[in-house]
């Protein structure tokens, strides 16, 4: 039995579908019974659980041989970093009681760094916590998801300007489709893991892109003239506050892009590498189609 936490997210759904396609038994963990329909349809056993509830984690792991762990940043929380750290610590306590499990933990590029990386610092905490409790551990570090551009696509379609925190606009950065991350995660879950050895795998897309590439792909998909706009550094926080984020969440993002734009966040040398097959244009076209629909 393979257990998938975060099964209703883009990566989790992709992992579950890939495992079911290969005939593996999958237990999908959802927070609400209303989320179970799609997962039931593809043959998953669906259970409710919450990474903030240790008892529900134990129930979800009963009888499992492998588990995919995703600890998401709580977007509407007044202190998302503190809440995510508590979630990670709760998950780690539960995993300690299941040492036979192969744990595939979803992490981020740059998680090896221990300071000043914003959201990525939380994945540094996750990796450290899980190393202490999971004898069979695979860390899957993902580049930035291409689907994250969905947050600003409506603005770009309305104004012809694609706001970007990637500076400069012509600097290529690693990125990957969430769907491809799920496919790689499914393969790693079925690979198994040797006890006492932490396996680190880094995944990104078939090539690197810059913000200008994103704008061109969006223009081609929408049939409009769209150019990338480097949002001035001094306007980042205010822009995010206007978009509904709180100050704590905004600071995590600012710190992340400061680190990324200075070249600190990238694939760690010496890690295993995987490359997805989905190109940026396909992802952007799907985003535009969804918005138009």
């Amino acid at each position: 039995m393979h257990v998938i936490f975060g099964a209703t997210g883009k990566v989790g759904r992709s992992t579950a579908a890939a495992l079911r396609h290969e005939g593996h038994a999958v237990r999908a963990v959802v927070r609400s019974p209303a989320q179970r329909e799609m997962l039931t349809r593809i043959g998953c056993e669906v259970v409710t659980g919450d990474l903030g509830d240790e008892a529900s984690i134990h129930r979800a792991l009963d009888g499992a041989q492998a588990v995919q762990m995703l600890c998401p940043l709580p977007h509407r929380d007044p202190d998302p970093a503190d809440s995510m750290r508590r979630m990670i610590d709760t998950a780690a306590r539960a995993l300690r009681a299941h040492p036979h499990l192969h744990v595939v933990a979803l992490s981020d590029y740059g998680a090896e760094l221990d300071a000043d990386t914003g959201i990525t610092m939380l994945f540094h905490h996750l990796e450290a916590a899980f190393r202490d409790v999971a004898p069979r551990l695979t860390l899957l570090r993902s580049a930035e998801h291409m689907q994250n551009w969905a947050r600003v696509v409506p603005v770009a379609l309305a104004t012809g300007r694609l706001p970007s925190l990637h500076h400069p606009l012509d600097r290529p950065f690693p990125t990957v489709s969430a769907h491809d991350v799920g496919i790689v995660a499914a393969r790693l879950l079925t690979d198994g893991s040797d006890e006492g050895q932490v396996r680190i795998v880094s995944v990104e897309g078939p090539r690197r892109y810059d913000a200008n590439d994103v704008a061109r792909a969006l223009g081609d998909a929408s049939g409009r003239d769209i150019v990338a706009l480097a949002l001035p550094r001094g306007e980042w926080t205010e822009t995010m506050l206007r978009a509904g984020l709180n100050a704590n969440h905004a600071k995590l993002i600012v710190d992340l892009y400061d680190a990324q734009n200075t070249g600190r966040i990238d694939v760690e040398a010496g890690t295993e590498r995987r490359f997805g097959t989905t190109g940026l244009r396909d992802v952007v076209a799907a985003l535009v189609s969804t918005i138009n629909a």
Side-chain angles (χ1 to χ4, degrees):
M1 176 67 73
H2 296 76
V3 176
I4 309 298
F5 282 86
T8 57
K10 295 180 181 66
V11 175
R13 289 198 306 269
S14 177
T15 303
L19 289 170
R20 288 297 303 136
H21 181 73
E22 296 296 327
H24 298 286
V26 175
R27 180 179 297 146
V29 185
V30 302
R31 296 186 66 180
S32 167
Q35 299 171 312
R36 66 175 61 232
E37 180 182 351
M38 183 278 294
L39 295 161
T40 301
R41 191 166 60 247
I42 64 173
C44 296
E45 174 193 349
V46 183
V47 300
T48 56
D50 190 322
L51 286 175
D53 177 0
E54 188 173 344
S56 75
I57 300 174
H58 286 297
R59 289 193 296 270
L61 296 177
D62 184 41
Q65 67 191 61
V67 58
Q68 176 172 300
M69 299 295 296
L70 168 64
C71 295
L73 185 74
H75 290 289
R76 298 301 176 186
D77 194 280
D79 190 344
D82 187 59
S83 293
M84 183 169 165
R85 280 190 290 265
R86 288 199 305 270
M87 187 189 308
I88 291 167
D89 293 342
T90 300
R93 285 195 302 272
L95 289 174
R96 188 183 293 277
H98 302 267
H100 67 287
L101 286 174
H102 175 206
V103 179
V104 173
L106 301 181
S107 186
D108 263 13
Y109 272 30
E112 73 278 8
L113 304 176
D114 61 2
D116 303 323
T117 60
I119 293 173
T120 301
M121 272 297 299
L122 300 171
F123 290 97
H124 181 82
H125 179 77
L126 179 148
E127 291 193 3
F130 284 12
R131 283 174 187 266
D132 285 342
V133 300
R136 295 177 173 86
L137 176 63
T138 298
L139 300 172
L140 178 55
R141 293 179 182 164
S142 168
E144 175 183 320
H145 291 180
M146 296 174 184
Q147 286 80 1
N148 289 353
W149 289 95
R151 302 164 186 164
V152 293
V153 165
V155 174
L157 294 178
T159 66
R161 300 287 186 271
L162 176 73
S164 174
L165 304 186
H166 285 283
H167 293 183
L169 296 175
D170 60 356
R171 181 179 183 272
F173 55 88
T175 185
V176 65
S177 169
H179 173 76
D180 287 348
V181 177
I183 291 174
V184 171
R187 291 173 184 159
L188 295 175
L189 281 165
T190 57
D191 278 353
S193 177
D194 295 330
E195 184 170 357
Q197 294 186 353
V198 177
R199 184 180 183 186
I200 301 175
V201 180
S202 300
V203 58
E204 61 183 82
R207 53 161 288 209
R208 295 190 171 193
Y209 301 91
D210 60 32
N212 292 322
D213 292 324
V214 181
R216 281 190 289 268
L218 185 54
D220 290 344
S222 64
R224 307 179 193 184
D225 292 329
I226 296 176
V227 297
L229 170 68
L231 192 66
R233 171 65 175 74
E235 297 179 12
W236 289 4
T237 298
E238 183 58 34
T239 299
M240 285 184 277
L241 294 178
R242 288 199 306 269
L245 276 63
N246 64 43
N248 288 325
H249 193 167
K251 186 176 188 313
L252 291 173
I253 295 174
V254 168
D255 289 350
L256 168 65
Y257 279 92
D258 278 343
Q260 193 167 72
N261 290 339
T262 55
R264 295 183 61 219
I265 293 180
D266 208 318
V267 63
E268 182 181 12
T271 60
E272 293 183 51
R273 301 191 68 181
R274 298 289 186 275
F275 297 90
T277 59
T278 307
L280 176 69
R281 287 181 173 272
D282 291 334
V283 171
V284 170
L287 294 177
V288 172
S289 178
T290 299
I291 290 172
N292 288 340

